[in-house]
Amino acid sequence: MSEFPIPHGLPQDRDAGPFDPPSAITALRAARPVSPLQFPDGHEGWLVTGYEAVRTLMADTRFSSRQDLGIVHVPYETPGMPAQTEPSPQIPGLFIAMDPPDHTRLRRKLTGAFTVRRMRQLEAHIAEIVERQLDEMAGMAPPVDLVTAFALPVPSLVICELLGVPYEDRATFQTNTAQFLVRDQELDEKMAAYGAMTTYLAGLVTSKRAEPTEDILSDLARDSDLGIEELVGIAFLLLLAGHETTANMLALGTFALLEHPAQLAALRTDADLMPGAVEELMRYLSIADIFYRYATEDIELCGETIPTGSTVVVSLLAANRDPLRFADPDDLDVRRTVRGHVSFGHGVHQCLGQQLARIEMRAGFAGLLRRFPTLALAVPANEVPLRSDMNIYGVHELPVTWTDER
């Protein structure tokens, strides 16, 4: 193992540019795509950065998603948090942190709600939501913050309607989910945000069990196999993932297109490029980057043996930029045919709402470029505040302007 240096902690700042992987991660992937990683507490785990290795690992259920199986070793220095923590107990309903058969039981209860057919039936309605929000934005005096004016409201409106969460409560869940995703914070701050969310959602699912309406949470509440705690866990996961990921893709994706004018011009010229462009933006930006797995036995992965009990850190961003899988991976190319990117994960935990996210992004980017042909940054690119402090990457704000051409 001494052939290459073992990194101490995990470099996470995108020092090579606002859209690129950390330079240390890129160098490590080239040298050793499955590499030992020295955690701050002295424990030696593993960092997986190569595309082939990431896909293989995420398809192998011997790499567990359960954080209660062993000690969680924080891969970077986190103020206010010990480098080594006690095992996290399983949270009812939070199936992203479960293995089969528990994961299978809960996920199956949602597959009917997120089928490709059902999502396509929603396309026209999602397009209406996008257009209404664009109307509101067009009535504002530029410059405006694209995050608050467009990127956050659109997926929030959509997921609220689907789940049956009152949109007027958005300030509650947007504030608390954002706080929950802050990377470096005191543990009690994180748990306070989580507690506020679960208290709110417990009241909501309890009311839906008593008086169900036509929405996903009501459908789940009708299922006597699910307890209130499980309903709360599922609701938390769907609500957080349903607005945070797409909101950050819409904002960061717009930033990336504005910084790549040739790619933006190609999309304006040929609307048929949009579906492929969304996949390319997903690959290029990889806003949900770091995931954890735990080896339940000795496992050989791409020539390396990962011992039982090892904490394994997976970088989807590094995998999506692997030159062994994608030609010129650090170039944004909206004409690229992107197959097999791992932005939605892979294996049994592949994102349940990926079709919904695709529809929202296609409608969102297409509508924005059509309605605002002169859209431009209102500040220098280096003044855009990046979400490098968050577990889902993006921008905190994106000040934009345009010329009124009415």
Side-chain angles (χ1 to χ4, degrees):
M1 287 190 180
S2 60
E3 186 177 354
F4 300 105
I6 297 174
H8 181 83
L10 178 66
Q12 288 194 283
D13 289 336
R14 300 195 181 201
D15 58 328
F19 313 118
D20 296 320
S23 55
I25 292 284
T26 299
L28 191 62
R29 182 191 58 217
R32 194 171 185 177
V34 180
S35 173
L37 172 69
Q38 189 77 46
F39 291 87
D41 65 355
H43 166 78
E44 190 174 281
W46 293 82
L47 173 61
V48 182
T49 53
Y51 177 85
E52 179 187 354
V54 166
R55 289 261 299 189
T56 301
L57 180 152
M58 299 193 86
D60 190 336
T61 54
R62 294 176 299 170
F63 288 103
S64 174
S65 297
R66 287 176 52 184
Q67 295 184 5
D68 63 322
L69 290 182
I71 292 173
V72 178
H73 299 267
V74 181
Y76 44 81
E77 299 287 359
T78 304
M81 289 184 67
Q84 177 174 305
T85 64
E86 290 302 313
S88 301
Q90 280 202 291
I91 298 173
L94 209 68
F95 56 89
I96 196 173
M98 295 179 181
D99 297 334
D102 296 325
H103 168 269
T104 309
R105 178 181 74 88
L106 294 179
R107 183 165 171 129
R108 277 179 179 165
K109 294 182 182 297
L110 287 161
T111 50
F114 288 95
T115 61
V116 174
R117 181 171 177 270
R118 185 168 180 181
M119 291 302 103
R120 283 179 178 163
Q121 290 173 342
L122 290 171
E123 277 193 72
H125 184 53
I126 290 171
E128 289 174 5
I129 290 173
V130 167
E131 289 304 312
R132 287 202 304 267
Q133 201 59 43
L134 288 169
D135 287 343
E136 283 198 26
M137 182 170 155
M140 300 176 185
V144 303
D145 172 21
L146 190 78
V147 173
T148 56
F150 181 72
L152 185 56
V154 166
S156 296
L157 280 160
V158 172
I159 200 65
C160 281
E161 285 195 17
L162 279 177
L163 296 183
V165 175
Y167 185 62
E168 57 267 24
D169 294 345
R170 64 191 179 279
T172 297
F173 70 74
Q174 287 173 353
T175 299
N176 286 304
T177 55
Q179 183 62 47
F180 181 79
L181 291 170
V182 172
R183 198 171 71 198
D184 298 346
Q185 65 176 315
E186 299 286 348
L187 185 58
D188 58 353
E189 291 178 310
K190 188 183 191 76
M191 295 315 296
Y194 176 74
M197 277 294 297
T198 54
T199 299
Y200 166 74
L201 291 170
L204 184 63
V205 298
T206 300
S207 69
K208 289 185 178 296
R209 175 151 281 179
E211 297 181 26
T213 50
E214 295 302 315
D215 52 68
I216 290 174
L217 291 185
S218 291
D219 291 344
L220 292 170
R222 291 185 181 98
D223 190 336
S224 59
D225 182 49
L226 293 172
I228 292 296
E229 286 189 334
E230 284 187 317
L231 287 169
V232 169
I234 293 170
F236 173 78
L237 183 58
L238 295 180
L239 186 57
L240 182 147
H243 79 278
E244 278 284 350
T245 51
T246 306
N248 282 291
M249 270 303 304
L250 286 171
L252 189 65
T254 301
F255 184 20
L257 289 172
L258 291 174
E259 285 297 284
H260 294 81
Q263 303 302 311
L264 180 61
L267 279 180
R268 291 195 193 281
T269 302
D270 185 358
D272 291 339
L273 291 175
M274 186 57 72
V278 165
E279 302 302 315
E280 171 68 348
L281 285 165
M282 290 287 300
R283 179 202 70 83
Y284 182 71
L285 299 173
S286 301
I287 59 167
D289 177 17
I290 298 299
F291 289 83
Y292 300 88
R293 294 292 185 267
Y294 308 93
T296 58
E297 58 184 80
D298 289 355
I299 306 171
E300 183 176 336
L301 181 65
C302 295
E304 305 279 359
T305 299
I306 298 181
T308 304
S310 295
T311 301
V312 184
V313 183
V314 183
S315 174
L316 302 187
L317 173 60
N320 277 333
R321 295 293 192 92
D322 191 339
L324 297 179
R325 176 61 181 81
F326 301 102
D328 301 314
D330 294 327
D331 292 344
L332 175 63
D333 181 2
V334 297
R335 293 185 175 86
R336 187 195 302 266
T337 301
V338 183
R339 291 192 179 94
H341 70 74
V342 290
S343 298
F344 288 117
H346 184 61
V348 297
H349 287 286
Q350 191 170 32
C351 176
L352 185 65
Q354 61 181 286
Q355 298 305 331
L356 175 63
R358 285 185 169 104
I359 291 168
E360 290 179 275
M361 284 186 280
R362 290 169 189 171
F365 287 126
L368 190 65
L369 299 188
R370 184 186 70 254
R371 291 286 295 274
F372 297 95
T374 59
L375 192 73
L377 288 178
V379 297
N382 61 5
E383 292 182 13
V384 173
L386 303 171
R387 284 170 53 110
S388 53
D389 57 332
M390 307 293 278
N391 285 321
I392 295 178
Y393 188 63
V395 294
H396 286 292
E397 298 174 5
L398 189 68
V400 295
T401 189
W402 61 89
T403 303
D404 190 346
E405 298 179 345
R406 289 176 293 180

